[in-house]
Amino acid sequence: MEQSFTDQSFTDLVIGAMGPKTTPKMRRILGSLIQHIHDFTRENHITVDEWLAGVEFINRIGQISDDKRDEGILVSDVFGLESLVDSLTNQIGGAAGQSTETAIIGPFYRSGSPRYPNGASIIQKDVGGELAWVHGRVTDKQGKPLAGVELEVWHTAPNGLYEQQDPDQPEYNLRGTFTTDENGKYDYICLRPTSYPIPYDGPAGDLLRLMDRHPNRPSHIHWRVTKQGYHSLITQIYDSRDDYVTNDAVFAVKDGLVVEFTDASDEAKKRNVQFELAYDITLSTSDEAAAALKRRDEILLKKEQELAKTGQVQTAYRNGSH
Ligand code: BEZ
Ligand code: FE
């Protein structure tokens, strides 16, 4: 019988073209990708012109990206993809209380921020804004304080720009690395963060316009919290006073990450700040994270075994945890 190019038999032909040296994982992932791309194309009856527009869009993502701009992450974020991947990656939970929730890292993380002693300010240059004293404790899920935890924090200036986007800010302005003391305590001075638009003069912005959406993120501080033997935490805290908290352009706000900056207490006023945030962090152990990963791997292994038996991606990805 002549091959049809528009139905599942064609999709099966493409998936079935993978050779015996393809690993089970690649067979599962690429088979599923081909299946979804073909289903999407059939469902929407994509024409050659529409496909070419899509190809051009993908090419532009690469062309506009450089070491200061990652359009691939921006486009993922507009689709909610980074938030979805982050949440799937960090489904750790566990019996003895929850660890602090994660959030996306976004495209503006830089490693190697200056190490400061507790209490120091991450503001290298006055860029305006309101000062805040942020302090708290890092513990494990049993409440035991963790010493020697590294906390990297970063946020934008009130003009909405991270230092690497802004020629008027010194390198690593509004970024810093702190270490918890023997009681698990940390503290630092920063700006009360402000909301800002994600870059929208490229493909990510085109997508936002096509979907009649705004580019704004609620005011937030990013954190990367690490300690040997513990699952690294990448997260953000969101200022509850910001309207975009319920309307984030990149879908990264979780209720547990919305915090109250309060007027400075007497203790905070000694540091000449207007606001204060008390924020404790709870880490999972690496073993807890590894156990969660093992459960996930078992589900995926079942799919790979089913694929090896039937070769049917459709069956394999529709069964299991979806
Ligand atoms: C950020 O929070 O830094 C960010 C996240 C997603 C897209 C753009 C920026
Ligand atoms: Fe940010």
Side-chain angles (χ1 to χ4, degrees):
M1 210 174 61
E2 207 180 318
Q3 171 67 50
S4 158
F5 284 84
T6 53
D7 66 19
Q8 179 63 35
S9 69
F10 178 61
T11 305
D12 291 341
L13 178 80
V14 176
I15 292 170
M18 282 186 265
K21 293 200 214 89
T22 308
T23 62
K25 181 172 178 178
M26 279 303 124
R27 192 175 299 281
R28 165 173 58 75
I29 288 182
L30 293 175
S32 173
L33 181 65
I34 294 166
Q35 181 69 55
H36 282 283
I37 289 174
H38 281 212
D39 281 345
F40 165 82
T41 306
R42 278 188 289 263
E43 265 166 46
N44 295 287
H45 208 107
I46 296 295
T47 64
V48 171
D49 283 350
E50 287 164 343
W51 162 73
L52 273 177
V55 169
E56 199 226 340
F57 182 81
I58 290 170
N59 291 344
R60 280 176 52 226
I61 292 174
Q63 285 153 2
I64 203 171
S65 293
D66 56 26
D67 59 345
K68 297 215 162 127
R69 178 168 184 149
D70 192 325
E71 198 73 12
I73 294 186
L74 285 177
V75 167
S76 298
D77 289 335
V78 165
F79 282 133
L81 181 60
E82 190 184 357
S83 234
L84 174 58
V85 169
D86 164 58
S87 295
L88 288 171
T89 306
N90 292 292
Q91 281 173 327
I92 297 169
Q98 293 296 315
S99 45
T100 298
E101 286 184 286
T102 61
I104 64 175
I105 192 163
F108 295 116
Y109 170 70
R110 285 185 75 192
S111 61
S113 63
R115 285 178 184 280
Y116 292 116
N118 277 313
S121 167
I122 61 172
I123 307 162
Q124 296 183 33
K125 177 184 173 186
D126 183 4
V127 285
E130 302 162 317
L131 296 182
W133 178 44
V134 182
H135 56 94
R137 227 163 51 117
V138 183
T139 64
D140 69 8
K141 293 205 301 197
Q142 282 72 36
K144 187 182 85 179
L146 298 176
V149 178
E150 286 204 347
L151 300 111
E152 293 165 84
V153 295
W154 66 104
H155 65 67
T156 61
N159 65 2
L161 297 176
Y162 286 96
E163 45 83 27
Q164 73 265 50
Q165 301 173 282
D166 184 355
D168 292 333
Q169 287 185 59
E171 268 229 306
Y172 288 110
N173 192 37
L174 307 178
R175 295 176 188 267
T177 303
F178 296 83
T179 308
T180 55
D181 67 13
E182 65 281 6
N183 299 312
K185 287 191 169 171
Y186 73 87
D187 71 307
Y188 62 90
I189 288 167
C190 62
L191 296 176
R192 185 169 181 168
T194 33
S195 60
Y196 64 86
I198 67 168
Y200 58 98
D201 56 345
D206 293 348
L207 268 184
L208 288 170
R209 279 181 287 278
L210 284 170
M211 293 189 282
D212 189 20
R213 280 170 38 191
H214 69 79
N216 300 308
R217 296 223 59 213
S219 33
H220 58 274
I221 302 174
H222 293 264
W223 307 69
R224 184 166 178 272
V225 183
T226 48
K227 179 176 167 68
Q228 187 82 34
Y230 290 82
H231 183 58
S232 296
L233 169 72
I234 291 168
T235 196
Q236 306 178 20
I237 48 102
Y238 300 94
D239 188 337
S240 61
R241 82 170 168 182
D242 193 315
D243 287 346
Y244 290 115
V245 148
T246 52
N247 190 8
D248 178 7
V250 299
F251 308 99
V253 179
K254 294 173 180 165
D255 289 349
L257 298 174
V258 178
V259 297
E260 306 275 338
F261 282 79
T262 53
D263 290 339
S265 63
D266 288 345
E267 193 52 39
K269 280 188 188 139
K270 290 184 200 157
R271 292 158 175 86
N272 292 319
V273 301
Q274 296 108 298
F275 295 101
E276 174 169 5
L277 170 66
Y279 190 65
D280 293 338
I281 290 172
T282 310
L283 297 182
S284 296
T285 63
S286 303
D287 287 349
E288 285 160 341
L293 211 61
K294 193 160 164 253
R295 284 194 294 280
R296 188 201 73 154
D297 284 350
E298 280 161 8
I299 293 168
L300 295 176
L301 187 66
K302 267 202 204 118
K303 287 185 191 180
E304 285 160 16
Q305 286 163 345
E306 195 171 340
L307 269 177
K309 246 189 349 222
T310 66
Q312 290 291 309
V313 172
Q314 269 195 318
T315 324
Y317 85 70
R318 281 180 186 151
N319 291 341
S321 65
H322 296 277

